[in-house]
């Protein structure tokens, strides 16, 4: 039987218990043994010149794959060095969890996006911002709409800078329909569905922040642009987010590595985890065939 690890931080595991149970159940129905593993119980490093991993202080049998639901690129890379297939890969994790890196990668594909500036935090403390007010200030490693600020004047800018944890910050034009975005759910090289997220109370449309969601039908042009992104990366399961300009044109915003599926489940009967488990099995089979 195929066996895998579903890796969470303990705190996030408690918040996502129903999702974890669903994930494990879907895996079981496809003859995959998926075990919840807390990141805090794992020790990684190098011993006797070899990469090692311990669980609760002991060496254990390695799984065939790991689904990492915490931001930990080093852990992903360590598991890959050991020979464990990781979803999403360390390369995707590194790119998707830094908004500046993601924009650089997507810009090379010719995908429309907002003007974006990557400003060193130490430089932001001196002088004027690089674009006119209002604009949006983002922590490059923020998730779920956290550490995203609508900046209307220099005072708000100066007050928000200490909330940025990284050495860099992302500053973007806000010439878009505030409180709206499109999330496209992707498994492997396939578009699974899309939702329009809206908020009448916040410039951020995140579902967790009280926004609403409805199914969204992609046009042929929009689908073509998304497929161009998909063809350029090896995704496991991700959410690709777009903003909308005044005319409704999609503008790339970010890629969610540890994507949830509450909104998709709320507006459709698509079982994305069933699809994801099958994708994982197909990938493991392809890798096995490639080695034999």
């Amino acid at each position: 039987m195929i066996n895998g690890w579903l890796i969470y931080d303990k705190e996030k595991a408690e918040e996502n218990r129903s999702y974890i149970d669903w994930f494990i159940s879907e895996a079981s129905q496809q003859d995959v043994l998926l075990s919840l593993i807390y990141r805090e119980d794992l020790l990684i490093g190098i011993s006797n010149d070899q990469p090692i991993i311990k669980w609760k202080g002991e060496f254990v049998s390695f799984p065939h794959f790991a689904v990492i639901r915490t931001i930990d690129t080093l852990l992903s890379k360590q598991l890959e060095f050991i020979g464990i297939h990781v979803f999403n890969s360390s390369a995707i994790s590194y790119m998707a969890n830094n908004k500046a890196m993601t924009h650089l990668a997507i810009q090379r594909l010719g995908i429309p996006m907002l003007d974006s500036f990557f400003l060193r935090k130490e430089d932001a403390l001196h002088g004027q911002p690089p674009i006119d007010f209002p604009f949006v200030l983002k922590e490059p490693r923020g998730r779920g709409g956290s550490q995203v600020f609508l900046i209307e004047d220099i005072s708000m800018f100066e007050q928000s800078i200490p909330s940025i944890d990284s050495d860099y910050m992302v500053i973007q034009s806000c010439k878009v329909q505030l409180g709206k975005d499109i999330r496209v759910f992707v498994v492997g090289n396939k578009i699974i569905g899309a939702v329009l997220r809206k908020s009448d109370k916040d410039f951020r449309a995140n579902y967790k922040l009280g926004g609403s969601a409805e199914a969204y039908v992609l046009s042929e042009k929009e689908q073509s642009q998304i497929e161009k992104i998909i063809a350029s990366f090896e995704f496991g399961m991700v959410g690709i987010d777009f903003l909308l300009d005044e005319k409704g044109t999609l503008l790339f915003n970010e890629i969610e590595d540890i994507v949830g599926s509450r909104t998709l489940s709320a507006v459709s009967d698509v079982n994305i985890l069933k699809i994801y488990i099958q994708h994982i099995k197909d990938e493991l089979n392809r890798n096995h065939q490639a080695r034999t």
Side-chain angles (χ1 to χ4, degrees):
M1 175 180 276
I2 297 173
N3 63 83
W5 287 353
L6 181 60
I7 301 176
Y8 270 87
D9 293 323
K10 286 183 179 179
E11 181 180 350
K12 290 297 183 182
E14 291 305 312
E15 295 176 12
N16 294 277
R17 180 59 59 178
S18 60
Y19 185 83
I20 291 168
D21 291 344
W22 177 27
F23 212 148
I24 292 173
S25 174
E26 288 297 337
S28 177
Q29 292 178 44
Q30 295 190 48
D31 297 321
V32 174
L33 178 61
L34 187 61
S35 302
L36 174 62
I37 300 292
Y38 295 130
R39 174 63 182 91
E40 292 87 342
D41 292 334
L42 295 175
L43 173 67
I44 61 174
I46 298 171
S47 180
N48 295 320
D49 299 325
Q50 295 297 321
I52 60 98
I53 183 166
K54 289 183 177 182
W55 177 68
K56 294 185 176 181
E58 301 291 337
F59 288 105
V60 292
S61 298
F62 297 142
H64 296 101
F65 70 94
V67 177
I68 300 185
R69 300 287 293 180
T70 183
I71 299 174
D72 194 332
T73 304
L74 179 60
L75 172 64
S76 301
K77 181 63 74 174
Q78 178 89 359
L79 295 178
E80 289 169 349
F81 279 155
I82 288 172
I84 299 169
H85 199 122
V86 175
F87 298 89
N88 290 305
S89 70
S90 61
I92 295 300
S93 173
Y94 174 77
M95 183 268 292
N97 288 301
N98 185 310
K99 293 177 174 61
M101 292 292 185
T102 310
H103 274 77
L104 288 174
I106 300 301
Q107 180 276 328
R108 294 169 62 87
L109 304 178
I111 305 297
M113 61 180 62
L114 285 169
D115 288 347
S116 303
F117 299 90
F118 315 133
L119 191 64
R120 292 195 309 173
K121 187 176 178 178
E122 61 186 80
D123 295 336
L125 296 170
H126 312 284
Q128 285 290 114
I131 55 177
D132 294 333
F133 300 105
F135 58 79
V136 172
L137 171 66
K138 296 180 179 181
E139 156 66 50
R141 294 180 174 84
R143 293 187 63 242
S146 65
Q147 295 173 288
V148 178
F149 309 95
L150 180 60
I151 306 298
E152 298 179 344
D153 54 43
I154 191 66
S155 177
M156 291 180 67
F157 182 52
E158 292 173 347
Q159 291 172 15
S160 299
I161 291 173
S163 299
I164 302 299
D165 298 324
S166 301
D167 294 333
Y168 277 82
M169 59 185 68
V170 177
I171 292 177
Q172 291 182 321
S173 163
C174 61
K175 295 178 181 179
V176 294
Q177 298 181 39
L178 296 177
K180 283 186 179 181
D181 72 5
I182 304 295
R183 168 159 288 179
V184 181
F185 293 87
V186 171
V187 173
N189 61 357
K190 295 180 180 179
I191 298 171
I192 305 303
V195 297
L196 167 63
R197 304 187 299 180
K198 297 187 293 184
S199 175
D200 297 326
K201 302 176 181 179
D202 199 304
F203 73 96
R204 298 163 296 180
N206 301 69
Y207 201 57
K208 280 188 174 182
L209 299 178
S212 62
E214 61 188 62
Y216 183 84
V217 179
L218 297 164
S219 69
E220 288 187 11
K221 180 180 179 181
E222 291 167 346
Q223 186 167 323
S224 177
Q225 287 185 329
I226 295 161
E227 288 174 345
K228 191 173 184 180
I229 297 174
I230 293 171
S232 302
F233 302 95
E234 294 185 2
F235 293 131
M237 183 172 78
V238 299
I240 306 178
D241 294 349
F242 296 86
L243 301 171
L244 298 98
D245 69 12
E246 291 88 345
K247 296 180 180 179
T249 301
L250 297 194
L251 301 173
F252 174 78
N253 188 36
E254 61 183 302
I255 295 175
E256 191 74 24
D257 168 32
I258 311 171
V259 65
S261 58
R262 289 182 181 88
T263 51
L264 186 64
S265 297
V267 303
S268 75
D269 58 0
V270 174
N271 187 336
I272 194 169
L273 290 184
K274 180 179 181 179
I275 298 169
Y276 193 19
I277 291 293
Q278 185 59 60
H279 168 73
I280 289 171
K281 292 173 66 177
D282 291 343
E283 283 296 296
L284 293 175
N285 185 52
R286 273 193 285 270
N287 283 356
H288 176 73
Q289 290 180 348
R291 293 195 301 267
T292 59

